[in-house]
Amino acid sequence: MTHALRPVHHRFGGIVHPMRDAKQATHVWQHLYNPEERWDALVGVDIQALRAAAEQLGCPPQPPRQRQKSSRLLLPKVPKSCYELLKEHHDAHYGPAYLRELGDSRTEWGVQPRESKELLCCTPRGVLVAIDRERPSAVLTAFRPDLPFHSEGDADDAAYQQTAHERWVGATTMRERSAWTQGLIQELKRVGHQPPQRTADAWRLVRTLGHARALKTHEPELVPGLDAAEALWERHRQEISSLLTGKLRTEAIQAGLELAFDARDPHELQDRLLALADLLVVFEVLSQPAEAERILDDTRRLFDSWPPELTGFGELAHARIETSGSTVRRFWTVVLDAQTAPASKASPREPLGDRVFRILEAISLTRIHPPGAYASSGIELGPEPVDLHQRGEAHLSLTVGPDLRTPMLQVSGLAGNDVPLGTRNGAPLEFTRDEFDAWLTDARPGDYRIALQDEWVEFTVSST
């Protein structure tokens, strides 16, 4: 956890710490440097200049946005000087921006449907922030969502805030249908009286109209506002359709879904699922069934092998099935079927053999060996790692981080640039590579699954 930034306090979220050290470099590369997220205005500096400085030190360019099965959202191996610069950019720019957004009294907070131990926050300038509620509470990720449409001119805060709010509402209000209904009623009041003049306004009207149609027979409160919006749509159907024709970013969002799926990133995957569901709502209102069928077919193919480490999407799918029209129900049924498919249909990364470890007193690891118990090449490394499992040349160990205090899990002996795969409590782990070509991740309490060669190792880290 960084010591350069102070935590923020919010009346709903309490004390929230910055992103943990092991995550900072990857998330700077994924999000701060991503030109589609437009962090320039949020941080007050030229992001292109930051990215160029990092690339001069060996940072790879932004990952391609086209769909590639080999693409991952994880940061590949970079030189130590580049890694340190990425962390500097976190402390100087990215971290202060997302903490400032979190600290704003207008930031909306809600419990994640996928993981009740996490909060999902929507900030006034359109940043979605996921927070681990376990103490000490810390930021897990902070990103601006992919816009569903090409914005006129440069995408501004309003476009991101509208999109972020739509995704936040779509996720956090699903536990109670009345909250979702009340949100639609308010949206209908905002969009149902004046014909839209911009693509963003046309999107908002058509999306709200489609969602309200799906609920009108169950929620009579929607009917007055829906009738007004339907009348507006009938009077200006051609003009509204023309504002959306050729402007919807279907391919980009599908590409983002595939990247998030391949990277086992639950936060981005949830965001892209909600984005595609909204696109299906809009295509249904626009009477474009071919576009909707293509999304459904691509999603089925992608989810044919749902990885077991991506968990918790069943509740979201069930809730959206209950509140959606026929096309969107089919989409969430695909998600639900993939999530609950039998193990025989799962990914080739399914365990070929399991070994279970219970690591007691993990947080007290530094008391097992005296500090400075061993060293290499004159570099003080702290306590010697505790071997947990070996598979071929690959080793899994429990060690401590560079601060000689923080317990870490270490994976070493992997071939080439292979990045370890693993989860904690079902959420993907992020590993960082040190100067000795070992991969490290925080050893916080929880249930772990980590792949070593062709075997999955399962164990629990406990503080008691």
Side-chain angles (χ1 to χ4, degrees), residues 107-416:
T107 291
E108 300 173 285
W109 300 66
V111 177
Q112 283 272 30
R114 182 189 52 78
E115 172 55 76
S116 61
K117 294 179 181 179
E118 294 180 7
L119 293 174
L120 182 64
C121 308
C122 177
T123 79
R125 300 182 72 181
V127 179
L128 290 171
V129 186
I131 295 173
D132 186 349
R133 301 171 76 186
E134 293 187 353
R135 297 293 182 255
S137 183
V139 171
L140 296 171
T141 187
F143 62 94
R144 278 181 148 180
D146 282 350
L147 298 180
F149 48 81
H150 296 284
S151 184
E152 292 90 344
D154 291 336
D156 56 12
D157 283 356
Y160 283 109
Q161 204 286 327
Q162 174 184 326
T163 302
H165 183 74
E166 289 170 356
R167 308 280 170 78
W168 181 82
V169 168
T172 59
T173 64
M174 50 78 63
R175 294 175 183 272
E176 187 179 354
R177 195 168 75 182
S178 62
W180 172 246
T181 301
Q182 289 303 313
L184 289 176
I185 291 173
Q186 296 304 314
E187 277 295 282
L188 288 169
K189 290 179 180 178
R190 282 189 282 266
V191 303
H193 302 287
Q194 294 294 328
Q197 303 296 317
R198 304 182 308 143
T199 296
D201 299 327
W203 165 268
R204 196 171 192 176
L205 169 63
V206 174
R207 174 188 175 274
T208 305
L209 185 63
H211 281 300
R213 283 177 178 178
L215 276 181
K216 68 177 181 179
T217 57
H218 304 288
E219 303 290 346
E221 294 176 88
L222 287 166
V223 173
L226 179 58
D227 287 347
E230 292 281 15
L232 181 67
W233 165 247
E234 288 301 325
R235 290 195 304 271
H236 301 279
R237 180 193 295 259
Q238 185 172 350
E239 305 97 283
I240 295 170
S241 297
S242 66
L243 287 171
L244 294 170
T245 300
K247 296 292 185 65
L248 299 180
R249 302 180 67 245
T250 309
E251 291 291 338
I253 292 175
Q254 285 184 299
L257 178 74
E258 187 160 348
L259 285 170
F261 186 78
D262 287 348
R264 310 300 193 253
D265 186 319
H267 304 105
E268 302 240 0
L269 182 62
Q270 175 177 281
D271 181 70
R272 272 52 179 274
L273 288 173
L274 292 166
L276 281 176
D278 278 346
L279 281 168
L280 288 169
V281 168
V282 170
F283 285 133
E284 195 168 47
V285 174
L286 295 176
S287 300
Q288 296 181 9
E291 288 292 331
E293 289 300 325
R294 187 167 59 82
I295 291 176
L296 289 167
D297 289 343
D298 286 349
T299 305
R300 275 193 210 94
R301 282 193 291 270
L302 177 62
F303 289 169
D304 186 58
S305 297
W306 185 279
E309 58 265 37
L310 280 176
T311 60
F313 289 91
E315 186 178 359
L316 178 65
H318 273 300
R320 295 272 70 90
I321 287 171
E322 294 175 0
T323 58
S324 299
S326 59
T327 302
V328 184
R329 280 200 301 270
R330 291 167 60 198
F331 173 78
W332 288 112
T333 300
V334 169
V335 177
L336 184 61
D337 289 347
Q339 172 88 85
T340 58
S344 60
K345 189 183 176 184
S347 161
R349 294 192 180 108
E350 276 285 85
L352 301 178
D354 295 337
R355 287 189 62 184
V356 179
F357 297 95
R358 180 131 182 111
I359 307 168
L360 299 176
E361 313 266 13
I363 305 306
S364 301
L365 175 65
T366 52
R367 295 199 292 270
I368 296 175
H369 298 281
Y374 78 111
S376 173
S377 304
I379 301 175
E380 199 69 44
L381 299 179
E384 185 172 359
V386 177
D387 285 334
L388 303 179
H389 192 60
Q390 180 177 354
R391 180 74 170 177
E393 296 297 317
H395 289 258
L396 174 65
S397 307
L398 189 63
T399 185
V400 290
D403 61 0
L404 304 185
R405 294 189 305 273
T406 306
M408 307 286 286
L409 289 169
Q410 174 181 290
V411 178
S412 57
L414 298 183

